């Protein structure tokens, strides 16, 4: 038996569990070696037993089996010429997972670890995340196993152009709207947008989000994932009689999510004492200076180790996973998937962590989550916590459609409202299905319900 529910089950729930296990086994059989994808399917299924037991229609219509099969998977060759004149070949992906709520929407990741399993897990999560935002967007994700590290600007441009030459056949403002993720920021989006425009012979602002402000980007989009993470955290703490003001926070990563989570946490009175990159981490009990991190990372993409040159009170430690040994009240994993394992989770709990909110996608392993749940640590799951980025992307699409642009404060205010309502919806869904206080269950149930209902309303297509 693979899918389980902790509490004693009713006979209806047992029937659901049998059905789920059958679907899950088929997922494993059909998609061998996709361990990250299996992990994310299991995470969702585990929360859905009570809702499927209450609404037999979902099982009758075989919604789960439809849901775990992407509507379309595209893989393609990305050839490009490096600065030495040599031809390099990477593999590109776009998984168009579910369009029940709107056109496919989700980022592109450029990182050597990218493979079909990673893109599928991210796309599956994106379906529920996008549903939670309340915006009319389906779920998708893409990327390439390209390593931007150490590449010249011209190489990045040539790669992005080649990538878009193929991707352009499959996307469009009403079809599929990619954005950034790890390794893809405003620069890459710019090069891809230029190529799309050239191929199509038309300026379609709504085809990509995370664009530069000069050509249709939205104010506050860059900040939105990090700010949204902290807005969610704030609600979660408030809902449990705590406050961010005065708390000690450890935030992994030093990319776009991490930087703006640090900035907002500090603004709200927290002390951020550590952050990291893939080489190592820095800590300073007096607090990290986010402006220095921004300058290092957003400027030349320098390594975080250089931070200590300017701040001798800080310490640099080689190896990024050690960051979870730094004692803190709040932990925000904002780097990458599975960065908190069981050992790290236990260490955080021993050091007295009170709340964990996932700024990255699936940063905690299943075993780590179990440790947090058993220790009554407040836990905010990624698909709810980091939904602010894609929510702001949807606001960017709305502005593009209207050929208008809103002020920073206008977008930020909408973002805050969206994050508050995501938190509320998660709390209520968890309560309604007998799992009060469990935001993982709440996020999965609330996200799932809307997608499943929309699928049923649209028929078997
Ligand atoms: N890559 C981001 C995410 O994981 C943003 C996606 C988007 O803006 O479309 O949600």
């Amino acid at each position: 038996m693979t899918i389980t529910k902790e509490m004693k089950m009713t006979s209806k729930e047992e029937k659901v569990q049998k059905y789920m296990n059958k679907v899950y086994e088929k997922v494993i059989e059909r998609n061998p070696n996709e361990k990250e994808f299996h992990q994310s399917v299991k995470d969702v299924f585990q929360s859905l037993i009570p809702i499927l037991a209450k609404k037999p229609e979902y099982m009758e219509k075989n919604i789960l089996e439809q849901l775990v099969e992407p509507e379309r998977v595209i893989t393609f060759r990305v050839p490009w010429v490096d600065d030495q004149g040599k031809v390099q070949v990477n593999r590109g992906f776009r998984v168009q997972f579910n369009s029940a709520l709107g056109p496919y929407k989700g980022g592109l990741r450029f990182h050597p670890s990218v493979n079909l399993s990673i893109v599928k897990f991210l796309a599956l999560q994106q379906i529920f995340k996008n549903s939670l935002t309340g915006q009319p967007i389906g779920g998708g994700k893409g990327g390439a196993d390209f390593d931007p590290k150490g590449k010249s600007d011209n190489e990045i441009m040539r790669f992005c152009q080649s990538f878009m030459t193929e991707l352009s056949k499959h996307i469009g403002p009403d079809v599929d709207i990619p954005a950034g993720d790890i390794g893809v920021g405003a620069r890459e989006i710019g090069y891809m947008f230029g190529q799309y425009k050239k191929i199509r012979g038309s300026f379609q602002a709504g085809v990509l989000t995370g664009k530069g402000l000069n050509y249709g980007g939205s104010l506050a989009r860059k900040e939105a994932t990090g700010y949204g993470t902290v807005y969610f955290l704030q609600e979660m703490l408030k809902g449990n009689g705590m406050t961010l003001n005065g708390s000690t926070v450890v935030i992994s990563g030093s990319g776009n999510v991490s930087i703006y989570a640090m900035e907002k946490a500090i603004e709200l009175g927290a002390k951020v004492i550590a952050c990291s990159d893939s080489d190592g981490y820095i800590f300073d009990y007096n607090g990290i200076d986010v402006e220095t991190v921004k300058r290092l990372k957003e400027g030349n993409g320098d390594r975080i180790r250089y931070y200590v040159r300017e701040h001798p009170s800080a310490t640099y430690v080689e190896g990024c996973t050690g960051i979870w040994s730094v004692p803190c009240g709040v932990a925000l994993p904002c780097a990458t998937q599975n960065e908190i394992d069981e050992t790290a989770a236990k260490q955080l709990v021993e050091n007295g962590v009170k709340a964990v909110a996932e700024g990255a996608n699936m940063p905690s392993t299943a075993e780590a989550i179990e440790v947090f749940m058993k220790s009554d640590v407040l836990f905010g799951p990624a698909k709810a916590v980091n939904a602010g980025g894609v929510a702001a992307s949807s606001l960017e699409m709305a502005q593009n459609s209207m050929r208008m642009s809103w002020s920073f404060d206008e977008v930020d205010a909408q973002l805050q409202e969206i994050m508050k309502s995501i938190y509320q919806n998660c709390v209520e869904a968890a309560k309604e299905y007998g799992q009060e206080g469990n935001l993982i269950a709440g996020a999965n149930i609330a996200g799932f319900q809307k997608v499943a209902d929309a699928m049923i309303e649209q028929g078997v297509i």
Side-chain angles (χ1 to χ4, degrees):
M1 198 153 301
T2 43
I3 307 293
T4 52
K5 179 169 173 278
E6 285 211 344
M7 285 161 275
K8 217 173 145 333
M9 283 194 290
T10 61
S11 65
K12 265 189 195 159
E13 288 180 335
E14 271 168 16
K15 221 170 107 195
V16 169
Q17 189 191 34
K18 260 201 202 129
Y19 162 65
M20 257 181 198
N21 277 325
K22 241 175 60 202
V23 178
Y24 185 63
E25 274 158 27
K26 209 160 163 185
V27 166
I28 295 180
E29 208 182 286
R30 270 191 175 156
N31 312 281
N33 311 319
E34 294 182 3
K35 63 179 198 310
E36 292 83 3
F37 180 56
H38 302 164
Q39 185 183 342
S40 66
V41 171
K42 194 167 173 181
D43 166 77
V44 175
F45 277 15
Q46 267 166 344
S47 305
L48 299 181
I49 295 178
I51 186 169
L52 263 79
K54 204 162 161 184
K55 302 194 170 179
E57 204 183 1
Y58 296 149
M59 208 160 93
E60 282 155 20
K61 300 255 154 85
N62 202 3
I63 286 296
L64 291 188
E65 200 172 334
Q66 293 188 62
L67 198 66
V68 293
E69 190 62 26
E71 289 176 20
R72 191 171 300 106
V73 174
I74 303 146
T75 68
F76 49 98
R77 179 174 67 189
V78 190
W80 56 283
V81 180
D82 69 19
D83 286 346
Q84 282 68 49
K86 273 177 59 188
V87 176
Q88 303 283 345
V89 179
N90 285 96
R91 182 171 289 175
F93 301 89
R94 186 72 183 167
V95 173
Q96 299 179 329
F97 219 125
N98 192 298
S99 62
L101 301 183
Y104 311 106
K105 179 85 196 88
L108 297 169
R109 177 177 292 192
F110 291 168
H111 191 271
S113 66
V114 167
N115 57 35
L116 192 56
S117 174
I118 302 260
V119 181
K120 278 173 70 180
F121 111 66
L122 289 164
L124 183 75
Q125 290 224 333
Q126 199 82 41
I127 303 170
F128 304 106
K129 184 195 304 196
N130 294 3
S131 164
L132 284 170
T133 65
Q135 301 287 313
I137 41 180
K141 200 88 184 190
D145 59 356
F146 170 75
D147 190 356
K149 237 191 238 172
K151 302 289 189 297
S152 71
D153 193 52
N154 276 326
E155 288 176 323
I156 299 279
M157 182 173 74
R158 287 194 293 271
F159 178 80
C160 289
Q161 289 173 338
S162 177
F163 184 85
M164 184 50 89
T165 299
E166 179 56 33
L167 188 68
S168 65
K169 297 169 188 161
H170 311 284
I171 63 173
D174 294 316
V175 179
D176 183 357
I177 305 96
D181 196 81
I182 294 172
V184 178
R187 174 179 62 162
E188 291 73 19
I189 292 291
Y191 293 147
M192 286 191 272
F193 186 79
Q195 184 73 354
Y196 183 85
K197 187 180 65 172
K198 186 169 179 182
I199 289 171
R200 284 290 154 106
S202 99
F203 190 108
Q204 301 176 15
V207 71
L208 291 170
T209 61
K211 297 181 292 295
L213 298 174
N214 290 325
Y215 63 97
S218 171
L219 286 161
R221 170 62 189 91
K222 185 172 69 173
E223 293 81 357
T225 318
Y227 279 17
T229 295
V230 175
Y231 294 147
F232 188 96
L233 170 69
Q234 210 183 6
E235 291 303 306
M236 183 167 85
L237 292 173
K238 205 164 78 190
N240 290 276
M242 294 181 227
T243 164
L244 192 56
N245 192 9
S247 60
T248 321
V249 185
V250 166
I251 303 185
S252 63
S254 48
N256 180 255
V257 183
S258 180
I259 286 176
Y260 293 99
M262 282 193 234
E263 186 172 276
K264 187 51 76 177
I266 293 167
E267 192 189 311
L268 294 174
K271 190 151 79 169
V272 177
I273 56 168
C275 71
S276 59
D277 62 17
S278 54
D279 291 343
Y281 70 95
I282 50 165
F283 72 90
D284 188 343
Y285 289 112
N286 300 314
I288 300 287
D289 176 41
V290 66
E291 290 309 318
T292 309
V293 179
K294 242 192 229 181
R295 189 160 25 81
L296 286 173
K297 288 287 169 179
E298 291 188 337
N300 303 326
D302 274 337
R303 307 312 294 164
I304 202 70
R305 56 158 58 88
Y306 298 135
Y307 179 92
V308 296
R309 281 190 196 156
E310 292 178 48
H311 299 273
S313 64
T315 307
Y316 173 75
V317 185
E318 199 70 38
C320 56
T321 51
I323 192 168
W324 305 119
S325 66
V326 178
C328 60
V330 174
L332 302 182
C334 295
T336 195
Q337 69 269 0
N338 292 329
E339 56 170 306
I340 301 187
D341 61 7
E342 189 178 4
T343 316
K346 282 184 176 157
Q347 198 152 27
L348 279 162
V349 169
E350 262 167 42
N351 288 337
V353 77
K354 298 280 180 294
V356 177
E358 298 186 315
N361 289 315
M362 205 168 77
S364 317
T365 64
E367 295 76 22
I369 293 176
E370 213 176 303
V371 172
F372 293 136
M373 299 307 264
K374 282 201 175 121
S375 317
D376 286 328
V377 172
L378 292 179
F379 186 82
K383 47 177 91 64
V385 173
N386 73 33
V390 75
S393 274
S394 183
L395 301 178
E396 181 173 332
M397 288 159 67
Q399 293 168 78
N400 294 153
S401 296
M402 293 188 292
R403 301 184 190 277
M404 272 178 66
S405 44
W406 295 328
S407 68
F408 188 99
D409 288 347
E410 169 70 45
V411 180
D412 190 38
Q414 290 199 48
L415 173 66
Q416 287 186 52
E417 282 313 309
I418 291 171
M419 297 317 295
K420 272 188 195 164
S421 86
I422 293 177
Y423 175 73
Q424 274 316 322
N425 291 342
C426 293
V427 168
E428 279 157 27
K431 201 168 161 192
E432 190 182 339
Y433 290 96
Q435 314 203 39
E436 196 163 350
N438 182 344
L439 295 176
I440 301 176
N444 283 329
I445 293 169
F448 166 80
Q449 192 165 1
K450 218 172 136 191
V451 177
D453 289 345
M455 285 170 76
I456 291 173
E457 284 161 26
Q458 291 169 40
V460 182
I461 40 169

